[in-house]
Each structure stands twice: as structure tokens, then as C-alpha cells.
């Protein structure tokens, strides 16, 4: 049993390796893209719509509502990033019921990659909202001495984000594997079902936390703008 | 544990997936939702406008209804007034017609009464004449004509006087004896002798039968008339009948 799908290598050209993580990520990308394309190529703006369009609309509006509830802002700007985080992680985790499938989120490389994306996106959105100076000024608040702590906090929460997802998904697979060897008949199924639930919850947690970080980065500027308007 | 090539590859994959989903999922879905919301908003706006238009129409029709009701009430009142006038006119006309009918009926009744009286008079004359004739014949074995002639002779005797004699002598048409019946020669002779003896000596006496005389005899000459007939009695009887009929008509009217 492999701990990480990174270790399942299909091809290798020097440093470039084609492992299960990348391959199954592509599978998920193709699945999501083609699925979306099939549904959205015949979209209807009328009140009577297809079942699949209805499902996608519910999904997208639900994500928008979550973003708006957290950020108190228009969601369209953050929807592609946060929505894709949720959909990718959720689909990645839900497909674990498919035999021989290896969830890319069970790879620390993937979760680190996603966490890095959040790590980069957070200041980017903050800078877009409040400008470069305004964003970086938030690191020396309330005093200059808080700068290292703020940087450490930024890095640690990114690390926590990556490790949390990896740990949960990897542990789910590990527990299923261990139980399969101990009680092969009944318990693995229950754990698999629990794994689906955990996978969805983890996708939600990852996306929500990403949005919270982005929102907090923008909140700094907003707070400043409020203070300025009060003066 | 961390394969940095895989990390980089996954970052790229994730960014590509963000683009693809934005292109094929979020964009079209949000565009469709926005379009539908626009359509629904437009439809709601249209419905509101139609609602406003409908309310205006309702108000218009309500006003029209009120106008119509007012006009109807006015027309009804006018019609009632006209009907009242017409009713009065018709009543007046009917009353007038009734009066006319009543007048005509009265006239008709009067005519019938006159006819009846004339008929009665004639019948009474015939009857009286016949009864008298029969009674006299039974009692004295004489006829009524003889009695009438006797009455005339009696009256001639009573009328004897210079003035009467003078009047009759100067009569241009002579002396005429008019009777309601044909006088026999003997009675003519008797009358002629009485006239010569008591009134005028040298005048001819002419005898005629006149339908104007009712059961009687008259001597006429130069406007002087003596005689007797039933007309007086009949007139009296007729007056009595008239009074009786008037009394009967009066009761019928009541």
C-alpha cells in the first residue's frame, strides 16, 4: 500500500515524472470540464431549465452565497478561485469510491500546491483591493515588531491548510487499508462511506478557510477605509 | 514526501482548471442566471405596467360605469316623468272618450226613447181608438166617428158668433173639415148643415182626410180652427211617460 499517489510513477524523464497524482488530477480536470461543457452548451435563460443545469445553478449559487456570507462582498471576483478549490477537492475526494482510483488530495504535493495557491492568492486579492502599500502595511500593524509574527502566521496557516487536507484524506485511505487487512468484510465499507463525508467536509473547510484568509486580507483595507472615512 | 515537480505541476493544473471552469461553468451559468433574472425583472416590470394599465382601465371603466349609472338614473327619472305625463294624457284622453261614448250613448238612448215614444203613441192611439170604438159600439150602439162628429157639431154651436162668422166668411180657401178618417156622406151632410145653420150660410164645406190629425176632426177657415182630437190626451200621456223614463234613467245612472 502506497502512502502517497506521488509514489505511483507511470513515466519518468529525469526530474519530470508522470505520477498518479498528476494523472488523476488530469482525469478530474477532464471530468469537470467536459461535464460543465456538456451541461452549459445548451443553457436556457427561460424559467424552464434542464435538471443538470438546475443542479449546476444550485451549486454555483450556493458557492456564491457562501462567499458572500464570509466576505460580505460581490462574489463574482472570487468565485472561480474558491469555487474551483471546492469542486476540485470535493470531486477528488468523492471519486475515491471508484476502484483503483487514487485521490490527488491524498498527496501532500497536491495539498501543498493548493495551499501555495491560497498563499499567493491571498495577498494578490488584498493588493487588488487596497493596493500594494496598503496591504503590506497590515504586516506591521499594530507595531513594526509584529512583522515576523505576521509572516510566521501567514506561513503556518498555509502549512496547516495543506497538512490538514492531506492528513484527513491520507488517514482515510490508511484507515481503510488497515481495516481491510484486519476486518476485510464490513468495516472498510463504513469507513469508505465516512471517508466520502470527510472528503466533502474537508473540501468545504479548505474552500471556506481560503475565502476567510482572502477576506481577512481585504478586511484590513476595508477597516482602514472605514477609519479614514470616520476621520 | 513532497515532490516539488508535482507541486509545480499541480499548481499549473489548478490554475488551468480555474480557467477552464471559469470558461465552461461559472461564466455561462452566471450569465444564464443573470439573463433569466433580467427576463424575470423585465417580466415583473411588464406585469407591473400591465397592472397599472389594468388599474387605469379599471378606474376608467368604473368611471364609465358611474357615468352610465348616473345617466341611467337620469334617463329613468326623465322616463318616469314622461310616462307620468303620457299617463295623464292617456287618462285624460280615455276620460274624454268615455265622456264622448257616454254622450253618444245618452243621445242613442234619447233617440231610442223618442222612437219608442213615437211607436208607443201610435200604438196607444190605435189601441185607444179601437177600445173606444168597441166600447161605444157595445154601450150605445154607435161608432166613435159619430161621436166625434157630434162633438164638432156641439162645438160649432158653441162657437156661434158674429166674429167667428165674419172670419169664416172671409176665408179665401173656404171652410175645410179635416178628419183622421173618411166621413160617410150622411155625417158630411149633418156637418154641412150645422155649419150653414150656425156659422156661415153660403159657403161650401170641403172634406179632407188628414194624417196629421190624431183620431179627431177639425174645422179650419181663415186661420180659425175648432175641433176635437186625441192629441191633447196623448200629449199628456207622453209627458207622463217622459217623466217616468227620466226617473228610470236617473235611477240607472245612480
Amino acid at each position: 500500500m502506497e502512502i502517497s499517489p506521488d509514489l505511483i510513477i507511470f513515466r519518468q524523464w529525469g526530474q519530470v515524472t508522470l505520477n498518479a497524482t498528476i494523472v488523476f488530477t488530469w482525469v478530474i480536470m477532464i471530468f469537470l470540464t467536459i461535464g460543465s461543457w456538456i451541461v452549459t452548451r445548451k443553457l436556457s435563460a427561460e424559467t424552464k431549465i434542464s435538471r443538470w443545469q438546475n443542479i449546476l445553478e444550485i451549486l454555483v449559487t450556493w458557492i456564491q452565497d457562501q462567499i458572500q456570507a464570509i466576505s460580505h462582498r460581490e462574489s463574482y471576483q472570487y468565485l472561480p478561485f474558491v469555487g474551483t478549490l471546492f469542486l476540485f477537492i470535493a470531486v477528488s475526494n468523492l471519486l475515491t469510491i471508484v476502484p483503483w482510483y487514487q485521490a490527488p488530495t491524498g498527496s501532500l504535493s497536491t495539498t501543498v500546491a493548493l495551499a501555495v495557491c491560497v498563499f499567493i492568492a491571498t495577498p494578490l486579492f488584498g493588493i487588488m483591493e487596497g493596493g500594494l502599500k496598503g496591504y503590506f502595511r497590515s504586516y506591521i500593524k499594530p507595531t513594526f515588531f509584529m512583522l515576523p509574527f505576521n509572516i510566521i502566521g501567514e506561513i503556518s496557516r498555509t502549512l496547516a491548510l495543506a497538512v490538514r487536507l492531506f492528513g484527513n484524506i491520507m488517514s482515510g485511505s490508511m484507515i481503510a487499508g488497515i481495516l481491510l487487512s484486519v476486518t476485510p468484510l464490513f468495516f472498510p465499507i463504513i469507513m469508505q462511506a465516512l471517508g466520502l463525508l470527510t472528503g466533502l467536509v474537508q473540501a468545504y473547510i479548505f474552500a471556506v478557510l481560503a475565502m476567510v484568509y482572502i477576506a481577512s486580507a481585504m478586511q484590513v483595507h476595508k477597516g482602514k477605509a472605514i477609519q479614514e472615512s470616520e476621520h | 514526501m513532497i515532490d516539488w515537480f508535482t507541486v509545480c505541476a499541480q499548481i499549473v493544473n489548478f490554475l488551468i482548471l480555474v480557467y477552464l471552469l471559469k470558461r465552461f461553468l461559472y461564466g455561462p451559468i452566471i450569465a444564464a442566471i443573470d439573463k433569466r433574472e433580467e427576463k424575470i425583472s423585465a417580466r415583473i416590470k411588464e406585469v407591473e405596467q400591465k397592472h397599472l394599465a389594468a388599474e387605469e382601465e379599471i378606474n376608467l371603466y368604473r368611471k364609465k360605469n358611474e357615468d352610465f349609472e348616473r345617466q341611467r338614473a337620469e334617463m329613468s327619472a326623465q322616463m318616469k316623468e314622461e310616462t307620468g305625463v303620457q299617463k295623464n294624457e292617456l287618462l285624460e284622453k280615455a276620460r274624454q272618450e268615455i265622456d264622448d261614448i257616454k254622450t253618444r250613448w245618452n243621445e242613442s238612448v234619447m233617440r231610442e226613447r223618442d222612437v219608442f215614444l213615437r211607436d208607443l203613441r201610435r200604438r196607444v192611439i190605435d189601441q185607444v181608438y179601437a177600445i173606444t170604438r168597441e166600447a161605444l159600439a157595445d154601450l150605445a150602439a154607435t161608432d166613435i166617428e159619430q161621436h166625434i162628429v157630434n162633438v164638432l157639431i156641439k162645438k160649432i154651436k158653441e162657437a156661434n158668433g158674429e166674429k167667428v162668422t165674419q172670419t169664416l166668411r172671409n176665408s179665401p180657401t173656404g171652410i175645410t173639415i179635416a178628419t183622421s178618417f173618411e166621413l160617410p156622406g150622411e155625417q158630411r151632410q149633418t156637418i154641412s148643415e150645422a155649419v150653414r145653420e150656425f156659422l156661415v150660410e153660403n159657403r161650401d164645406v170641403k172634406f179632407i182626410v188628414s194624417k196629421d190629425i190624431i183620431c179627431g176632426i177639425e174645422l179650419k177657415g181663415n186661420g180659425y180652427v175648432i175641433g176635437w182630437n186625441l192629441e191633447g190626451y196623448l200629449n199628456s200621456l207622453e209627458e207622463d211617460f217622459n217623466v217616468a223614463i227620466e226617473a228610470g234613467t236617473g235611477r240607472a245612472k245612480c
Side-chain angles (χ1 to χ4, degrees), chain A residues 25 40 46 57 83-84 110, chain B residues 3 6 10 13 24 26 36 39:
Chain A
T25 299
T40 57
E46 299 301 321
E57 283 187 8
T84 307
T110 305
Chain B
D3 180 6
T6 307
Q10 288 295 73
N13 284 337
F24 291 110
Y26 308 122
R36 188 181 307 119
K39 275 189 177 180

Side-chain angles (χ1 to χ4, degrees), chain B residues 47-70:
Chain B
V47 167
E48 281 174 352
Q49 282 175 348
K50 280 183 179 174
H51 184 69
L52 282 175
E55 276 191 348
E56 282 177 9
E57 285 281 309
I58 288 168
N59 287 334
L60 185 70
Y61 279 104
R62 196 172 286 152
K63 193 172 176 301
K64 277 185 179 176
N65 268 345
E66 286 171 1
D67 289 348
F68 175 72
E69 281 294 324
R70 197 170 56 249

